[in-house]
Amino acid sequence: MTGKTNWEILSFARFVLAFVVMISHLEKYSEIGYLKLITYLGFFEAVFGFLLISGLSIGKSISKNKKSYFKRRIQRIYPVYIICIFFQIIVFGIHRVFQSVFMILLNLIFF
């Protein structure tokens, strides 16, 4: 791929697409009022666009520095993931969290 990629615009587009998906999910659980207009953009198309932009981002990152890609990804994602697990323990209690230990372990291994 040649040429410069405008990451700011792609990041904003990805944010908007994620927002469309979030509102589409939220519609099933609560009254969203005027936000219902956003659901007409199509959540399937929003997911597809989000995945396309994410794939471009991952491809560029791998092509930039193939050797350290996984190391950078682990350093960026795992600390937040571990914090979320601890937050889940605080909110739901240790007993309920350990009911889903299998899923947590799968998520830790297959990032």
Side-chain angles (χ1 to χ4, degrees), residues 15-28:
F15 170 78
V16 169
L17 293 170
F19 187 73
V20 170
V21 173
M22 182 190 73
I23 294 300
S24 296
H25 287 298
L26 189 62
E27 176 188 27
K28 293 177 175 83

Side-chain angles (χ1 to χ4, degrees), residues 24-103:
S24 296
H25 287 298
L26 189 62
E27 176 188 27
K28 293 177 175 83
Y29 301 105
S30 67
E31 181 62 38
I32 58 174
Y34 289 111
L35 290 176
K36 182 150 178 71
L37 296 173
I38 292 174
T39 63
Y40 294 119
L41 294 174
F43 69 91
F44 177 79
E45 293 81 0
V47 169
F48 190 69
F50 182 89
L51 292 175
L52 282 173
I53 295 171
S54 296
L56 173 70
S57 174
I58 290 170
K60 280 287 218 181
S61 184
I62 288 174
S63 68
K64 185 170 73 172
N65 192 348
K66 197 179 286 190
K67 291 183 180 179
S68 69
Y69 169 74
F70 287 107
K71 181 181 175 187
R72 287 179 295 151
R73 187 163 172 86
I74 288 170
Q75 287 174 339
R76 186 176 62 243
I77 294 173
Y78 269 79
V80 175
Y81 188 72
I82 298 299
I83 289 169
C84 288
I85 290 172
F86 285 125
F87 183 71
Q88 182 182 10
I89 290 170
I90 291 168
V91 171
F92 295 112
I94 195 110
H95 175 70
R96 187 161 177 204
V97 171
F98 281 118
Q99 290 176 346
S100 60
V101 164
F102 182 69
M103 290 306 292

